[in-house]
Structure formats: structure tokens, C-alpha cells
């Protein structure tokens, strides 16, 4: 690290911890391979660091002092041993929801400084911000983070917008009714709003919804709805659209005079869990 470069304080601490972990791993290897009945370990480490302190983009950055520099700050760091249960008990819980989004997903609605301030208040994901809105805590968050309520509400509106990510054909489940309609699966985010059923159209015609969830819809399109523009409106003020073409998977129409032709077999896709059922 040169004399002008700075380092985030958290990165410095993580680097020291990582090297201490490596030292501990080396001692474990030595104990196993040499069958030592007794060895030694360091319980606590005290570290005094003279450095210049800078505050940039809501981050504390340090620059080690050079030879002869006196106008520096003194950091007194004490590293002590901690067990895995203690780490798990005190660490920030990571979301196990695959649909949860980090605050970075909000794009330009929040600056990096504003996202950092929300993290200081314990809001690290979009869903946590949405739950705060449901509980009426947005004003409190705005006050403790010194963020504009209007900007937080715009960010919430952005996080609630529907998004279509994939449109794909679905193979009927084994043992399904042979007369069951062929289906299309739509995956995305915010496709269902509360207890309301979304309005779904393909080519300006409504589509039957067999199953619905916030991140998935199972549709039964008509014979002429296997390509075109898919439009989904969870509520009148929110909508999204995506063009697609699955005409290669469309079932062949039968006529009275022609012998039935085999239906093209779509790729195998696992069925989605049942959530709600309705038909338009």
C-alpha cells in the first residue's frame, strides 16, 4: 500500500482477521500431523496503528502514517478469540429468500451514500424496506438516517414494479388429463399485488390464469397466443410487458377432415407449487 492509497477500515480489519485465521489453520495442521499433545495459541492481539483518517462516501478510510508524520490518529485494536456459535449469534442474518433483492437493485433511486445509511439502520434488502412501509416505519427510518421520505417512497415504488424475466413452455405433469390445455410459465417479480389477480393479455386478448404467485404465473394461452407481446398488470397503475415467441411449441390445431397430428413436446419444466386458482 503506497503512501497516498487509502483502505476502508472494515477491509483492514477483515484482512487482519483472515491472516489470523490462516495462522490458526496452520497450527491445526501442525497439531494433526505431528501428534503434539500440547501446543500454544494466541488468545488476544493488541495492535496500535497510526494513520490518517478520511471519510468518503459514508465510509471510514485510513491511510498509514509515513516516516516522521505526527498529525495522525491512533487506532488501538484488540483482537480476541470468538467461537462459531458466538459469530452466528451476533452476525447479521442473511436472507434465504431467493426473490429478495439487495438495495443495489433500486438503481439510481438511491445513491450509494443513501444505501449505506439504510444499511446502518439495519435495512439491507428491498423486502426489509417494503416491510418497513407495511409497518408504517418509513418516517422513522427517514428520521434516523436523515433521508428524504419522498426519496424513500420513490424507491419503494420502484421496488414494487412488476418485472417479467422469463416466458417458457410447460410440459403437462405425468398422468395429467390429456384434454388439459398446453401451458406457458411466466417468472418474474411482483406479478401479483396483494390478494388481487393480475390482468394478463397476449396480443390484446386476455389469457386464462391457472395458477398465480408473486414470482410465477401459469397461463393457458389460446392457439394464436404463443407469440407476441405479453402484458401483465397486477393493478391498474402497475404494468409490464415483454415480447416472446414460443410458436415452435404451439399445439397443432385439428380439423374435422384431417387426422390428428402429434403435438410438439415442450421441454420438461417442473410444476410450480399451487398458490391460488382462478380462471378469467
Amino acid at each position: 500500500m503506497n503512501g497516498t492509497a487509502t483502505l476502508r477500515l472494515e477491509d483492514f480489519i477483515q484482512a487482519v482477521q483472515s491472516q489470523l485465521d490462516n495462522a490458526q489453520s496452520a497450527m491445526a495442521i501442525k497439531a494433526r500431523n505431528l501428534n503434539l499433545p500440547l501446543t500454544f495459541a494466541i488468545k488476544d492481539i493488541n495492535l496500535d496503528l497510526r494513520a490518517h483518517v478520511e471519510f468518503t462516501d459514508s465510509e471510514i478510510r485510513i491511510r498509514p502514517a509515513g516516516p516522521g508524520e505526527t498529525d495522525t490518529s491512533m487506532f488501538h485494536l484488540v483482537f480476541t478469540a470468538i467461537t462459531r456459535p458466538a459469530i452466528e449469534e451476533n452476525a447479521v442474518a442473511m436472507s434465504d429468500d431467493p426473490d429478495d433483492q439487495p438495495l443495489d437493485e433500486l438503481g439510481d433511486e438511491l445513491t450509494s451514500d443513501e444505501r449505506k445509511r439504510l444499511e446502518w439502520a439495519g435495512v439491507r434488502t428491498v423486502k426489509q424496506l417494503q416491510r418497513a412501509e407495511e409497518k408504517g416505519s418509513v418516517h422513522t427510518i427517514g428520521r434516523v438516517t436523515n433521508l428524504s421520505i419522498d426519496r424513500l417512497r420513490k424507491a419503494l415504488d420502484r421496488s414494487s414494479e412488476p418485472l417479467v424475466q422469463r416466458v417458457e413452455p410447460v410440459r403437462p405433469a405425468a398422468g395429467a388429463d390429456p384434454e388439459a390445455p398446453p401451458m406457458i410459465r411466466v417468472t418474474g417479480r411482483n406479478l401479483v399485488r396483494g390478494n388481487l389477480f393480475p390482468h394478463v393479455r397476449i396480443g390484446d386478448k386476455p389469457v386464462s390464469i391457472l395458477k398465480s404467485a408473486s414470482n410465477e404465473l401459469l397461463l393457458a394461452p389460446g392457439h394464436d397466443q404463443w407469440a407476441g407481446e405479453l402484458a401483465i398488470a397486477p393493478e391498474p397503475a402497475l404494468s409490464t410487458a415483454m415480447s416472446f415467441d414460443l410458436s415452435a411449441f404451439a399445439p397443432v390445431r385439428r380439423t374435422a377432415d384431417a387426422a390428428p397430428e402429434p403435438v410438439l413436446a415442450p421441454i420438461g419444466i417442473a410444476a410450480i407449487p399451487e398458490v391460488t386458482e382462478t380462471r378469467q
Side-chain angles (χ1 to χ4, degrees):
M1 186 171 182
N2 59 47
T4 59
T6 61
L7 182 70
R8 295 190 307 173
L9 181 60
E10 59 198 83
D11 290 339
F12 171 77
I13 294 175
Q14 291 285 359
V16 175
Q17 288 177 328
S18 177
Q19 290 182 276
L20 293 177
D21 289 340
N22 289 339
Q24 181 175 326
S25 298
M27 288 189 290
I29 294 173
K30 180 179 69 173
R32 294 191 190 104
N33 292 338
L34 300 180
N35 296 319
L36 298 176
L38 178 66
T39 188
F40 299 90
I42 298 174
K43 180 180 179 181
D44 297 327
I45 292 181
N46 295 338
L47 178 64
D48 290 334
L49 174 68
R50 286 193 173 276
H52 297 278
V53 181
E54 299 178 6
F55 195 71
T56 307
D57 294 332
S58 300
E59 292 179 341
I60 296 176
R61 290 180 171 269
I62 59 174
R63 178 168 55 86
E69 290 185 323
T70 58
D71 57 338
T72 56
S73 300
M74 173 68 75
F75 285 90
H76 182 67
L77 304 176
V78 179
F79 292 84
T80 188
I82 183 172
T83 61
R84 183 169 64 184
I87 294 175
E88 294 173 348
E89 181 180 352
N90 291 279
V92 175
M94 303 298 291
S95 173
D96 57 0
D97 186 346
D99 297 320
D100 205 353
Q101 310 159 250
L103 294 177
D104 293 343
E105 295 284 337
L106 296 176
D108 296 335
E109 295 298 331
L110 293 173
T111 65
S112 59
D113 179 73
E114 290 170 334
R115 291 194 295 270
K116 183 69 68 174
R117 290 178 181 275
L118 285 174
E119 291 178 1
W120 290 348
V123 180
R124 297 174 178 268
T125 67
V126 172
K127 279 197 173 181
Q128 288 177 324
L129 188 59
Q130 291 172 335
R131 292 192 193 105
E133 167 69 3
E134 294 170 359
K135 296 178 180 179
S137 303
V138 171
H139 284 84
T140 302
I141 292 176
R143 186 171 62 253
V144 300
T145 59
N146 199 27
L147 296 180
S148 165
I149 300 299
D150 289 339
R151 287 190 60 79
L152 287 177
R153 295 216 180 274
K154 286 182 180 179
L156 282 167
D157 290 341
R158 170 74 177 270
S159 69
S160 300
E161 291 178 354
L163 173 67
V164 174
Q165 295 171 317
R166 294 184 63 187
V167 181
E168 56 192 2
V170 180
R171 179 192 294 274
D177 184 352
E179 299 299 324
M183 297 174 290
I184 286 178
R185 172 179 306 181
V186 180
T187 57
R189 292 198 300 264
N190 302 319
L191 302 178
V192 175
R193 185 77 167 180
N195 296 323
L196 301 176
F197 293 109
H199 295 280
V200 183
R201 305 178 72 87
I202 297 178
D204 293 330
K205 295 181 180 178
V207 187
S208 296
I209 305 173
L210 303 182
K211 297 178 183 177
S212 63
S214 178
N215 59 347
E216 287 183 315
L217 297 178
L218 197 60
L219 309 177
H223 68 275
D224 58 346
Q225 293 183 309
W226 287 79
E229 184 178 77
L230 168 69
I232 301 176
E235 62 180 38
L238 292 174
S239 63
T240 185
M242 178 180 181
S243 296
F244 74 102
D245 188 352
L246 294 178
S247 54
F249 298 95
V252 178
R253 299 185 64 184
R254 299 181 181 181
T255 62
D257 299 330
E261 298 184 26
V263 177
L264 294 175
I267 59 176
I269 303 293
I272 65 177
E274 292 191 14
V275 179
T276 58
E277 296 190 6
T278 183
R279 291 181 181 272
Q280 293 186 350

